[in-house]
Every structure is written in C-alpha cells, then in structure tokens.
Amino acid sequence: MFILWFNPKALSRSWDASEGERAPFLRNEPVRLTPAWEGSNLPNDTLNLKGIAMDLVPPKDKWNLIYLTLILHGLGTLTAWNMLITAKDYFVSYKLANAPLYAENLMPYMGWAAQVPNLIFSWINIFVEIGGDLTTRIVWSLCLEVVMLVVTVIFAMVDSSEWPVIFFWVTMVTVFLLCGSNAIFQNSVYGVSARLPPQYTGAVVLGSNIAGTLVVFLNWASDEFTQSHRTSAIYYFICGIFVLLICFDTYFALPLNRFYRYHVTLQERTLQVNPTLATNNPPVKQKTPYGLIFRQGFIQFYNVFLTFFVTLTVFPTIHSDIKPMSTDFFGNQFTRITCFLTFNAMAMIGSITASLWRYPTPRWLSVFTTLRILFIPLFLLCNYQPLGKQRTLPVLINNDWVYWVMAIVMGWSSGHGSSLGMMYVGGTVAPEHAATAGMLGAAMLVTGIVSGITFSCFSPSFVSLGAWSSM
C-alpha cells in the first residue's frame, strides 16, 4: 500500500489551556503520498483528512470498497496458479502429446517449480526490503506476473509440436518466475491488510478461496462449450491477466479512500507518539525485532501452518484420487463435484463464516486446527486409489455420502481456520509490527503448503504397504 509521509508537527496534540486536553486531530498541513497523489488536483480537504478525529471518529468503509478490494487482491494471489493447474489437459494432451515422459511428470514438476520459489521468496520478502516499501514489492511483482502470463499465452498460440521438450522447460521457468513473484505479491498484500481491522485480512483469504471456485466453473464451462484445449487455455490465461491488471489499478486507488488513509495514518501516528520508539537519531531506522514478533505470534503462526499442511496433504493429491463406491453417485462428475467444487466452495463459505463468527477465539483456535489432523487418516481410509499403485489398505469408509460430508467439513474448516489464523496474527503484536507479523503469517501459510505437498507424496506408498494385505 501507499505510505503516508507527514510533517512531524502535524502529529502533535492540540492543547487548549482553558478547556483542558482535547482529542488529537491531524492539522490541516500538506500530505505527500508515494506516488505523489497531491499532483492529481484533488481537493485539499480530501488529501489532508480534514475533520477526521483520529481517536474518536474513525471513518467507515463506505460501500465496503476496501473490503471488496482486498477480496479482489486475494483472488489475484491464487488466480495464476489455479489457471495453470486447471489447464492440465492442455499441457498433457495437447502441448506434450509427443513427449509422454514429460507429460506424465508435468504436475509434480509444476508443483515444485511453483511452490519452491513461493517458499523462498515469501521468507526473503520478510527480511530483505525490496525497494524499501510494500508498494514497490506489489507493483513489480504484479508486473512480472503479467509478463509471464503474456508469455504463456504466446506459447499457447504457437505450434510447439516439433519441440515439446523445449516447451516443457520454458514452461517450468515461466512457472518458477510467475509463482516466485506471486509469493512477494501475496505476503505483501497480507502485510498491508494487517494494518487494517482483522476482518480485512479475512477478506484476502476469502478472495483466494473464491479464486479456486471460479476456476472450477471455468473449467466446467470449457468442457461443455469447447473441445479445444488450446482455446480454453488461452481464455484461462487471459482471464488471469485481466484479474492481475485490475489488482494493479485498484491498489493505486486505495490512498484516495478515507477509511484506508485513516488506518495507515493512525499507524504512522502511533509510531510517532509511542515513547518506546523514540531515538536520539530519528533518521536511523529501528531494527525489526523478528524474534519477539515470532514469539508473540507463535500460536497463530502454528495455526496457519497446520491448517494449510493438513489441507494440502489431503487436497488435491488424496482427495482427487478417491473413487465412488457407487457409479450412480454423480456419475462421471464425481471427482469434479465432491472434490474440486466442494472443497473450493466450502473453503469460500468458511472464510465468510470466519468474518461473521470469530470462533474459536485466539486462545482455543489451536485445538480446532490440531483436530484437523484426523482428516489425513480418514481420507486414506476412503476408496483412495492412487494412480499406478495397488491399494492393500482396507477401505473402511465405503459410503459415498459419508465421504462427501467429510469433504464438506474439511473444506469449510480449511477456509474458516485459515481465515481466523490470519486475522488473529496482527493482534498478537504491537501495532507497529502488525505488517511484519502479517508477512510472517503469509510465509507460514506457504510453508504449510509446501510441507503438505511434500508429505502427500508418501500417501500412495502408505496405502500400498505389503503389511496391509495380511490384515
């Protein structure tokens, strides 16, 4: 987000000897934004927050514009990745048809190419200031994502049937750069939302869950209305570009909103008036106490990590390979409905319920997230049939309705628990450290994803152990 730079005199308290101490107001002095919005001929009253009592009369988020904007940015954080995995048939059956070995290993390679840089850049982004502020990180990461998607669209239009291996490795490099820049964008957005009330962090999580649901419907529609893998892939990637460009535009409009400016200004004002932050040499930047922040927010970081670890262990590796016990249960749409649509829709609903019903409380959320570990053995006991493996573990949950109810609860608890964890992160530390805590929470989110994906690789071997055949 944009950083508001004030003349320190504008942060002084107003005093009246005859009336006693009054509520602090911002004085009507010029405000310089980065980029310089004061050069856009806006009214002075708008730029100077005239009439806003910082302590007593906080402005409202009119028409929920900031909330909706952060939902959109949450949508942008997962759009590119969802576009890539949804276009699996395009890669496997169309682009890599002449290279079966690469086609068979596409998803594992793509998963690691996406998540390893995501993990690396998420942590680097916390400790290394790229350009010094969140605005620079978000702008440049979005620009690089758009460029990579443009490259992907161009390759979709080009006939690569004569050089599929080159196409494969170019795609891996593209995915690496795309998801690496997306990692910077993602945890920078969480850092920005941490400056606002907790429900605005939940809005980012809600947006990321909406992304999956929308892409499932796009995939379904493409199967119904077009048989061309090439055409559907082009539409997917163009939609991703469109979403990212909207994120870019709306981000630059945020400083025009009074509600957003109020909270950013309040944070800046807190830094100025907090005596524990005073130094004899103000130009020298204070060292961020990462250790203190991590200790204070450890429980919520644990909740975020564990929620995504369990979710990514089960979904989509185990979840998508569970077969129906009855052929009449949703027919040939069984996996699409019970796995992809159910998980994404329920995760989206879970994000909404977290905003409306903040339970469990911060103290008890760890119980909720720890109990979710039970989903891993429960889904393995369903009719999970991994590709290329002979299952020897007995199928103990052999009712399709029971499996679907489990899928519903797992999806909802993922959205609800992850949203609550991210919303609680900012409240565990001092206001001046909220942005750093938000970025740490996002890094723990990605760490949970990578750990879950890695652990899920052992699932096929676990259900195929020879010891199970003797039971």
Side-chain angles (χ1 to χ4, degrees):
M1 295 297 178
F2 293 98
I3 305 299
L4 299 178
W5 298 97
F6 290 89
N7 186 323
K9 294 180 179 179
L11 300 173
S12 61
R13 293 180 176 270
S14 298
W15 287 80
D16 188 323
S18 61
E19 297 179 13
E21 184 180 4
R22 294 179 177 176
F25 289 82
L26 289 177
R27 293 182 180 176
N28 188 21
E29 296 186 9
V31 178
R32 181 167 60 83
L33 290 145
T34 304
W37 282 94
E38 66 268 23
S40 59
N41 296 322
L42 293 172
N44 288 332
D45 286 353
T46 300
L47 289 172
N48 296 329
L49 299 164
K50 184 177 181 180
I52 296 181
M54 295 300 293
D55 290 345
L56 300 179
V57 191
K60 295 182 179 180
D61 184 7
K62 191 174 183 181
W63 301 317
N64 292 318
L65 288 178
I66 302 301
Y67 190 85
L68 294 174
T69 299
L70 289 177
I71 288 179
L72 177 62
H73 281 256
L75 182 69
T77 61
L78 283 186
T79 293
W81 169 243
N82 277 297
M83 294 294 174
L84 289 170
I85 62 175
T86 304
K88 177 182 177 180
D89 288 341
Y90 154 76
F91 288 110
V92 172
S93 304
Y94 178 64
K95 283 293 188 179
L96 300 174
N98 295 333
L101 180 62
Y102 289 91
E104 292 173 6
N105 295 290
L106 172 71
M107 295 312 293
Y109 273 93
M110 185 176 288
W112 282 108
Q115 299 305 331
V116 169
N118 198 359
L119 176 66
I120 294 172
F121 284 113
S122 290
W123 284 101
I124 289 177
N125 189 41
I126 296 171
F127 303 104
V128 179
E129 291 193 358
I130 305 174
D133 58 31
L134 293 176
T135 296
T136 302
R137 304 181 193 192
I138 290 177
V139 168
W140 283 105
S141 60
L142 281 174
C143 288
L144 184 57
E145 283 193 71
V146 170
V147 170
M148 290 301 101
L149 284 178
V150 169
V151 171
T152 305
V153 170
I154 292 174
F155 270 87
M157 297 177 177
V158 174
D159 182 7
S160 61
S161 58
E162 299 298 324
W163 36 278
V165 176
I166 295 176
F167 170 81
F168 175 85
W169 289 111
V170 170
T171 300
M172 292 303 107
V173 172
T174 301
V175 172
F176 183 93
L177 295 174
L178 178 65
C179 293
S181 57
N182 184 75
I184 296 175
F185 171 61
Q186 183 182 50
N187 71 354
S188 295
V189 168
Y190 278 114
V192 168
S193 65
R195 300 170 172 176
L196 304 173
Q199 63 266 29
Y200 290 84
T201 300
V204 179
V205 180
L206 173 60
S208 64
N209 289 323
I210 291 175
T213 305
L214 289 179
V215 170
V216 169
F217 282 112
L218 283 173
N219 185 27
W220 202 338
S222 67
D223 287 346
E224 295 294 331
F225 297 108
T226 180
Q227 299 299 318
S228 172
H229 295 309
R230 175 179 176 272
T231 301
S232 63
I234 291 173
Y235 281 130
Y236 285 147
F237 300 138
I238 289 178
C239 286
I241 294 171
F242 182 70
V243 170
L244 294 178
L245 289 176
I246 294 179
C247 290
F248 189 90
D249 290 340
T250 54
Y251 178 75
F252 276 91
L254 284 174
L256 299 176
N257 184 277
R258 288 169 61 86
F259 174 83
Y260 170 76
R261 293 201 312 275
Y262 169 83
H263 284 281
V264 175
T265 303
L266 185 60
Q267 186 184 52
E268 294 293 327
R269 179 176 176 275
T270 301
L271 294 175
Q272 294 289 338
V273 302
N274 190 339
T276 63
L277 300 178
T279 69
N280 294 327
N281 189 11
V284 176
K285 185 176 178 180
Q286 299 236 347
K287 184 178 179 180
T288 303
Y290 294 106
L292 175 63
I293 294 172
F294 192 83
R295 289 194 300 272
Q296 291 177 337
F298 175 79
I299 295 299
Q300 303 312 324
F301 295 146
Y302 165 84
N303 291 331
V304 172
F305 168 84
L306 192 59
T307 298
F308 283 92
F309 171 79
V310 172
T311 296
L312 269 295
T313 297
V314 174
F315 177 86
T317 303
I318 300 174
H319 210 335
S320 61
D321 279 338
I322 293 179
K323 308 302 179 184
M325 300 300 295
S326 172
T327 56
D328 296 332
F329 199 81
F330 294 127
N332 60 357
Q333 301 296 330
F334 176 83
T335 300
R336 176 175 287 156
I337 293 176
T338 62
C339 175
F340 294 104
L341 182 58
T342 296
F343 174 80
N344 286 294
M346 294 310 300
M348 179 179 64
I349 293 173
S351 297
I352 296 173
T353 59
S355 297
L356 301 176
W357 180 50
R358 293 185 195 174
Y359 187 84
T361 60
R363 180 180 179 183
W364 297 105
L365 182 60
S366 58
V367 176
F368 178 85
T369 56
T370 303
L371 285 174
R372 293 187 74 251
I373 296 176
L374 293 174
F375 283 124
I376 298 175
L378 286 175
F379 274 83
L380 289 173
L381 292 175
C382 294
N383 191 24
Y384 168 52
Q385 302 292 338
L387 184 65
K389 293 285 186 178
Q390 180 64 41
R391 181 188 176 101
T392 58
L393 178 68
V395 177
L396 299 182
I397 300 178
N398 54 14
N399 186 296
D400 292 327
W401 285 102
V402 173
Y403 155 67
W404 194 25
V405 170
M406 285 169 47
I408 291 172
V409 177
M410 199 275 289
W412 172 82
S413 64
S414 177
H416 190 80
S418 61
S419 296
L420 286 179
M422 290 303 298
M423 282 191 284
Y424 292 157
V425 160
T428 61
V429 299
E432 61 270 17
H433 300 145
T436 301
M439 289 191 290
L440 275 169
M444 294 300 294
L445 182 156
V446 178
T447 305
I449 289 176
V450 174
S451 301
I453 290 175
T454 303
F455 188 78
S456 69
C457 294
F458 298 100
S459 300
S461 298
F462 183 76
V463 300
S464 303
L465 291 174
W468 299 117
S469 60
S470 61
M471 294 182 61

